[in-house]
């Protein structure tokens, strides 16, 4: 079951990362005004999501504990970092 959930999360992250590039202007409008370089941040977070999706896939194909741990830590940092934008989007 854990592998299935990792696969689903990987697909969601990959799709969201691609959407950051296909709809960059929309995503840029979700970035709080107090942060600079909205389009850069959108592209950067898109790359992070794609990288996390790939990290989860590497774990699934190799069953490598170090990759899983690194990906998990990076995802925690990522989700904390994008929380202000998600909150801003929800409130505005």
């Amino acid at each position: 079951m854990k592998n299935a959930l990792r696969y689903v999360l990987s697909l969601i992250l990959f799709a969201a990362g691609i959407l950051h590039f296909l709809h960059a202007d929309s995503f840029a409008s979700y970035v709080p005004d107090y942060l600079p370089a909205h389009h850069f941040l959108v592209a950067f977070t898109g790359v992070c999501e794609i990288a996390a999706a790939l990290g989860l896939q590497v774990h699934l194909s190799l069953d490598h504990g170090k990759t899983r741990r690194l990906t998990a830590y990076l995802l925690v940092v990522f989700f904390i970092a994008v929380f202000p934008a998600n909150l801003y989007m929800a409130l505005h």
Side-chain angles (χ1 to χ4, degrees):
M1 184 67 166
K2 286 182 184 180
N3 282 342
L5 292 174
R6 284 187 194 114
Y7 184 75
V8 169
L9 179 59
S10 176
L11 288 175
I12 291 169
L13 287 168
F14 188 80
I18 295 298
L19 287 173
H20 275 71
F21 294 99
L22 296 178
H23 301 286
D25 290 335
S26 257
F27 279 90
S29 70
Y30 304 147
V31 179
D33 293 333
Y34 59 84
L35 293 174
H38 291 188
H39 282 84
F40 170 77
L41 292 173
V42 168
F44 180 72
T45 55
V47 168
C48 289
E49 286 177 327
I50 293 169
L54 294 175
L56 288 171
Q57 289 300 313
V58 167
H59 165 68
L60 289 173
S61 64
L62 299 177
D63 195 25
H64 198 276
K66 289 181 183 179
T67 304
R68 181 184 69 195
R69 190 172 299 114
L70 176 62
T71 301
Y73 287 139
L74 291 175
L75 278 171
V76 167
V77 170
F78 173 77
F79 287 132
I80 290 169
V82 299
F83 181 74
N86 291 332
L87 184 62
Y88 182 83
M89 180 182 66
L91 296 175
H92 298 96

